[in-house]
Amino acid sequence: MQPIDQASVQLVIDQLKDQELYIHLEMTTGAYASHNDDSKLTASTFIRNGIIRYTLGSIEGSGPFRVGLKINEGWVYSQGLTHWDESDSERLILAGHDNEGKLVVSLQLSKEPF
Amino acid sequence: MERQILVVLPHPDDECFGLSGTLAKRISEGTQVTYACLTLGEMARNMGNPVFANRVTLPQIRKLELMESCKSIGITDVRMMGYHDKTIEFEDHEAMSKRLGELITELNPSLVITFHPLYSVHPDHDATGAAVIRTLAKMPKEQRPTLHCMAFTKDCEQMLGLPDVKVDVTAFLKHKIGSIQAHRSQWQLPVDSNMVESDAMKERFGTERFWTYSFE
Ligand SMILES: [Zn+2]
């Protein structure tokens, strides 16, 4: 994973619009959040291989970045994105890592299931 | 006297701390005010304290809170624009400018008030300011209304200089506190209406600040 290059990610977002895609969308505090600090709530959520199609999408901000995808009756939204996999030309692989390198958020899009 | 003010803000409580006193004051002077609120703040994390809202009920609750806030201020023309919370920056620029342009054509405001596009903390705030500015920038200079921006990043004064417009709203603190308290899912202000005359309240809430935007 490399630090996000906004213009390159925007190109991939544009290439993937107006077609059925599999989405992986995830956010997590880590399973030990409340074990390590009992003022914290351990929480996580993901959807894997949900199917979406978006008509408008962009990556905004100056890092960490935000992505919004306009779907038929709503939105896909993700904030805190720091890294992408530039070696993957078919899919969009985005993630947000904290300052210890741990994953906090991820947004992935692909024409094939993950 | 200001003839017609158009306020454009993204969230139902954006008016309460920084602007409600000014609007109440202008309305008392005879100014017409229209408030275009872009979203219903449906993604807010505050759900009341104790919790009384959920993700399904929150938009309807915040709509009612907005109406109550506007009533306290004296605003009778509220336009709920139907955008979704957190998504203003992703909306198509042309389509947004078209809708905002229609409002401006209809109302012909002498003053527009929104957030500064760079120093307003929340992405929706910045994006709303940017959308208003893109819309107004297309107008011929002679027809363009004055634009006042609210800003509140820690460095906003360093970046923008001191605000050039300061409004004394100490005579309208009842309206302002009413506006804040209307948004009860978002704010729980431990204040009663007798306290609006206190020096502490006047100090904390008595001045509202704006930066006039230059299109040059
Ligand atoms: Zn807001």
Side-chain angles (χ1 to χ4, degrees), chain B residues 9-14 62 85 115 120 122 124-125 152:
Chain B
L9 300 170
H11 307 129
D13 60 345
D14 289 337
R62 295 202 69 182
D85 196 9
F115 281 115
S120 299
H122 191 298
D124 279 339
H125 297 173
F152 61 104

Side-chain angles (χ1 to χ4, degrees), chain B residues 2-214:
Chain B
E2 208 63 67
R3 180 172 43 75
Q4 163 82 52
I5 297 176
L6 171 61
V7 177
V8 185
L9 300 170
H11 307 129
D13 60 345
D14 289 337
E15 79 289 353
C16 64
F17 285 102
L19 180 58
S20 58
T22 301
L23 295 176
K25 185 173 189 171
R26 296 295 170 245
I27 288 166
S28 80
E29 295 163 356
T31 304
Q32 298 290 317
V33 172
T34 298
Y35 179 7
C37 191
L38 300 191
T39 84
L40 291 175
E42 49 270 82
M43 297 304 288
R45 290 186 65 206
N46 293 337
M47 294 292 184
N49 187 12
V51 171
F52 61 81
N54 62 44
R55 271 281 173 266
V56 175
T57 60
L58 188 65
Q60 197 56 36
I61 288 168
R62 295 202 69 182
K63 195 189 261 189
L64 294 174
E65 291 175 349
L66 175 62
M67 298 310 292
E68 187 182 326
S69 164
C70 287
K71 195 171 170 205
S72 178
I73 297 167
I75 301 170
T76 52
D77 186 13
V78 187
R79 312 289 179 97
M80 298 185 201
M81 303 292 283
Y83 292 98
H84 194 282
D85 196 9
K86 283 184 181 283
T87 66
I88 302 303
E89 63 185 331
F90 307 111
E91 283 286 357
D92 182 68
H93 288 185
E94 289 297 314
M96 272 201 87
S97 279
K98 186 162 177 286
R99 290 196 64 198
L100 293 175
E102 283 164 3
L103 264 184
I104 289 163
T105 305
E106 176 199 333
L107 299 164
N108 184 28
S110 51
L111 174 67
V112 177
I113 305 176
T114 187
F115 281 115
H116 194 280
L118 298 175
Y119 307 112
S120 299
V121 183
H122 191 298
D124 279 339
H125 297 173
D126 288 356
T128 299
V132 169
I133 287 164
R134 277 195 303 272
T135 307
L136 293 180
K138 289 183 193 157
M139 297 176 71
K141 197 179 164 195
E142 322 70 75
Q143 291 172 22
R144 195 184 289 143
T146 305
L147 178 61
H148 287 171
C149 297
M150 298 189 280
F152 61 104
T153 56
K154 287 194 191 82
D155 67 349
C156 67
E157 284 194 4
Q158 194 186 325
M159 304 307 286
L160 293 169
L162 292 173
D164 60 311
V165 179
K166 287 191 182 172
V167 183
D168 177 357
V169 300
T170 48
F172 294 88
L173 287 183
K174 267 199 174 122
H175 303 76
K176 181 163 182 165
I177 300 306
S179 166
I180 297 168
Q181 288 184 326
H183 296 289
R184 59 183 60 76
S185 69
Q186 303 303 302
W187 305 99
Q188 293 83 36
L189 198 65
V191 167
D192 68 65
S193 50
N194 300 321
M195 288 163 76
V196 299
E197 298 303 326
S198 75
D199 288 345
M201 292 294 288
K202 287 178 180 168
E203 174 68 26
R204 186 171 167 201
F205 294 117
T207 307
E208 293 176 352
R209 307 139 29 100
F210 307 92
W211 284 262
T212 304
Y213 189 83
S214 166

